[in-house]
Every structure is written in structure tokens, then in C-alpha cells.
Amino acid sequence: DQISPLLNQKNFVIADQYYSSIKNIGHEAKAMIVPSLTDKSKFIINNHTFYGKETYNVFLKSTNPGWQFLSFLSMSKFNEEWKINIIHFGNYSINDFTVPKLFELGMAAKAENRLSSCVVYAWAMNRFLRPAPYLQYIDEQKYIKFIKTSFSEMNSKFQFPFNIGDIKIIGFQIETTDNEGLIPIVLYLTEFDLNDPELDKKAHQAKDKILKKFHGLDHDFEYLLMRAYNEMPSDPKKKYNIHGTVIKLKE
């Protein structure tokens, strides 16, 4: 019931595949499968059980735009016949940006002090750092450190709320779409009616000041979303009216 809708709605291709054999004592043996240490896109398989002496593991990735999934199938050989031991689905990438690719982009942004961009990349990395509990990137500890330091530095630099001109900034978030992928969002308070088209005009007028404060967003992303509220969205159980203005960052 859980797997069939995903399989019916998505196309999958082979991202990687491992064949391993082991000399073991008894009927079962546990081992860690470590691929090439130079290929950062590959996964370590932790605490892997060999039912017999041979195992075949295949990593299937979905080809849809937006959030992409990893289907992990682990098989063992029983009496000369291959049988599936594990099927697991998890988040893998967004628009083909995997964790290693996002880390690469994040480190480039960090080198040029584009802290807001680092937070966007770190947020995405955190969403699919481990597509399954037992699948681990070779450089996982580096990725975890980048995620933690990006959020920590953001919290140190930006003390919300603060004003940019006559706009009161109350937060910074990230959303995704299938076509655009990652989209940074700046949240702000306004006294204007949320149906007033003047809000779009004011948001565009503030673009340069916003980008000066959130340095580098126009370097890394196609769009910025300005999201207006009439009151502080402090209650997670309450639904708030909003007005969104999409600002194109790259022509």
C-alpha cells in the first residue's frame, strides 16, 4: 500500500549497484560494505546482513523533477536463487542535486560569505542526508558539521525581527517547487491589507536592500519569495493569511 503509489507515479533508473561476497562462519554474517573512498556519491552500507555468501544491492533513483527518491533493494542468494531481503524508500536529491553536490555548492558559498545560501543548502542536505538509516555517505561527518555551522552562524548574524528600511523582517525559510527547486523565503510584517497589490510593488522596491542583507541569494538562486503577514505567525496551530510576492533574481 505504501510502495505501489510511488512506483506507479515515478520512473526509476539505476544510480548504483554493489555485488559483494563474504567468507563467513555459520548461516548469517554482518559486515560493513564500503565502496570506493574516492567517489563521494557512493553509500556505505552499515551493519549489512549476509544471508549466505553473496549479496547484491541496487540503488534506484527517481527521474521526476523536484524531490527525487531513492529505492534501495538488497538481495541475497539462497540455494542458487536471488531473493529480496530489504526494500526501502527515502529522499535522495532535489532536481539531481544530491547531498555531495549541495555540500560542494555550500562550501563555495561559504568561501564568499554567502551565509544565507549556505543555510538553504544545509536545509536541503538535512532532508536527505540518510535515505535509509543504514546508508551513509563517506563524508557524512563533514556534511553534518556544515549543516550545524551554517544554522549556527545564521542564528548569530540575524537576530529576528529586524528592519530593512520600512520593512520588518521576521524570519527566513525555504520551500521547494518541482521546476525551480530550492526557493529562499523572507518573511515580513506589513500593515497593508494582504489583498492590496501595492504589496508587490513595495516588495520589488525593497529587492536591492533585501539582497544586501541576505548576501548572495541572487548568485545562487533563480527566485526569492517575499511572504507578508499582518501579525507575527507565532502559533504553530493557527492558520495565518499571507501575501506572497515572487521576485526573479536572474534575468
Side-chain angles (χ1 to χ4, degrees), residues 9-22:
Q9 296 170 14
K10 311 292 183 184
N11 291 320
F12 287 82
V13 297
I14 294 177
D16 209 343
Q17 50 191 328
Y18 305 167
Y19 168 80
S20 304
S21 61
I22 191 171

Side-chain angles (χ1 to χ4, degrees), residues 13-18 35 39 41-43 56-60:
V13 297
I14 294 177
D16 209 343
Q17 50 191 328
Y18 305 167
D39 190 341
S41 67
K42 290 183 175 292
F43 288 103
Y56 170 64
N57 300 281
V58 60
F59 304 83
L60 303 171

Side-chain angles (χ1 to χ4, degrees), residues 7-246:
L7 289 176
N8 290 335
Q9 296 170 14
K10 311 292 183 184
N11 291 320
F12 287 82
V13 297
I14 294 177
D16 209 343
Q17 50 191 328
Y18 305 167
Y19 168 80
S20 304
S21 61
I22 191 171
K23 293 181 180 179
N24 61 298
I25 300 173
H27 297 293
E28 295 182 10
K30 290 187 179 292
M32 177 186 293
I33 298 178
V34 181
S36 168
L37 295 177
T38 59
D39 190 341
K40 304 304 182 181
S41 67
K42 290 183 175 292
F43 288 103
I44 295 169
I45 306 176
N46 288 303
N47 203 30
H48 187 69
T49 300
F50 283 74
Y51 299 96
K53 297 182 179 180
E54 295 175 88
T55 179
Y56 170 64
N57 300 281
V58 60
F59 304 83
L60 303 171
K61 66 176 181 180
S62 65
T63 59
N64 57 283
W67 287 109
Q68 294 159 327
F69 303 95
L70 184 76
S71 173
F72 173 71
L73 285 83
S74 179
M75 310 174 204
S76 290
K77 204 169 188 179
F78 296 88
N79 300 321
E80 301 305 314
E81 183 180 3
W82 288 99
K83 294 184 179 181
I84 296 176
N85 303 318
I86 299 172
I87 298 178
H88 188 96
F89 285 87
N91 290 326
Y92 177 62
S93 59
I94 180 164
N95 287 350
D96 296 318
F97 285 171
T98 60
V99 169
K101 178 61 178 177
L102 290 166
F103 176 71
E104 180 184 324
L105 294 170
M107 291 302 290
K110 188 177 182 68
E112 297 186 359
N113 201 33
R114 302 196 302 272
L115 178 57
S116 302
S117 298
C118 289
V119 169
V120 177
Y121 294 134
W123 176 86
M125 289 169 64
N126 199 45
R127 290 286 300 272
F128 42 80
L129 184 61
R130 283 208 175 192
Y134 39 80
L135 297 180
Q136 175 185 343
Y137 282 108
I138 293 167
D139 283 346
E140 181 182 79
Q141 291 306 310
K142 287 184 181 180
Y143 303 153
I144 291 173
K145 181 180 179 180
F146 173 78
I147 292 168
K148 288 181 177 180
T149 56
S150 294
F151 286 122
S152 177
E153 289 174 10
M154 180 79 163
N155 290 333
S156 297
K157 182 175 180 179
F158 294 89
Q159 301 296 322
F160 297 99
F162 58 83
N163 289 341
I164 296 179
D166 59 351
I167 296 179
K168 187 173 185 178
I169 306 298
I170 59 173
F172 182 78
Q173 294 180 352
I174 303 98
E175 281 193 5
T176 64
T177 66
D178 285 350
N179 291 329
E180 285 75 30
L182 296 166
I183 300 179
I185 305 172
V186 174
L187 284 60
Y188 69 101
L189 289 180
T190 181
E191 296 180 354
F192 280 80
D193 186 296
L194 294 178
N195 294 317
D196 191 335
E198 187 72 13
L199 279 174
D200 293 325
K201 181 180 178 181
K202 282 189 165 292
H204 280 91
Q205 288 174 344
K207 173 184 173 181
D208 290 342
K209 292 181 180 178
I210 295 292
L211 292 177
K212 184 177 181 180
K213 182 68 175 180
F214 295 92
H215 170 66
L217 291 180
D218 53 334
H219 181 281
D220 296 291
F221 305 103
E222 296 285 338
Y223 295 93
L224 169 68
L225 178 60
M226 297 286 292
R227 181 174 288 168
Y229 294 81
N230 283 147
E231 58 180 319
M232 187 73 76
S234 55
D235 186 350
K237 297 181 180 179
K238 182 179 178 180
K239 291 185 177 180
Y240 294 89
N241 293 324
I242 61 173
H243 180 95
T245 302
V246 177

